[in-house]
């Protein structure tokens, strides 16, 4: 399994909001937003800001799962966003390599690559230009 990691400008909360907005703009379904730090607090524990966003687009994932049902173990996609000593980090499983590990044909696996584009946008500085 290959994990892709990128640094995003801004806070964890702002990055989560940016991701949710990007997904909404593209009509992608958000299945869950899991605030893992809040869950830890609820159990009396401490965890840095850590949020998992689980999302998918049936137009991309359904053909993959139809071809190789076991690929559903890694679908829908998820992006982890967390604070790493003041830097906001974004990570996700490389969907093309993960799909290839399930034996999904490359043309179908490529349908899942939109997560690369979304996270590239998240890693882009959104500061206003002077």
């Amino acid at each position: 399994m290959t994990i892709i990691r990128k640094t995003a400008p801004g806070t964890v909360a702002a990055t989560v909001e940016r991701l949710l907005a990007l997904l909404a703009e593209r009509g992608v379904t958000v299945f869950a937003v899991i605030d893992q730090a809040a869950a830890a607090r609820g159990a009396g524990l401490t965890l840095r800001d850590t949020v998992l966003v689980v999302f998918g687009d049936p137009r991309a994932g359904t053909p993959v799962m139809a071809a190789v049902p076991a690929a559903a173990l890694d679908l829908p996609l998820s992006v982890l966003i967390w604070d790493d000593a003041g830097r906001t980090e974004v990570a996700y499983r490389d969907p093309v390599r993960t799909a290839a590990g399930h034996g999904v044909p490359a043309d179908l696996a490529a349908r899942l690559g939109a997560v690369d584009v979304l996270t590239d946008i998240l890693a882009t500085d959104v500061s206003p230009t002077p």
Side-chain angles (χ1 to χ4, degrees):
M1 162 179 27
T2 301
I3 302 294
I4 298 173
R5 184 171 168 173
K6 301 174 184 178
T7 301
T11 65
V12 169
T15 303
V16 169
E17 290 306 314
R18 286 180 67 204
L19 177 56
L20 295 175
L22 290 168
L23 295 170
E25 288 170 11
R26 288 159 175 77
V28 175
T29 302
V30 175
F31 296 105
V33 177
I34 304 167
D35 185 336
Q36 294 172 321
R41 283 190 300 277
L45 302 169
T46 302
L47 179 65
R48 69 188 86 192
D49 285 343
T50 305
V51 177
L52 183 70
V53 179
V54 181
F55 60 92
D57 184 340
R59 296 169 293 190
T62 301
V64 172
M65 292 182 286
V68 182
L73 290 167
D74 290 298
L75 294 173
L77 299 174
S78 59
V79 170
L80 180 66
I81 302 169
W82 77 97
D83 179 81
D84 187 7
R87 278 191 337 264
T88 299
E89 297 294 318
V90 175
Y92 58 99
R93 290 185 182 126
D94 181 332
V96 173
R97 290 187 113 180
T98 300
H102 287 289
V104 174
D107 61 320
L108 289 176
R111 296 170 165 262
L112 307 176
V115 68
D116 294 316
V117 174
L118 292 169
T119 56
D120 283 347
I121 293 169
L122 290 179
T124 302
D125 188 1
V126 293
S127 302
T129 53

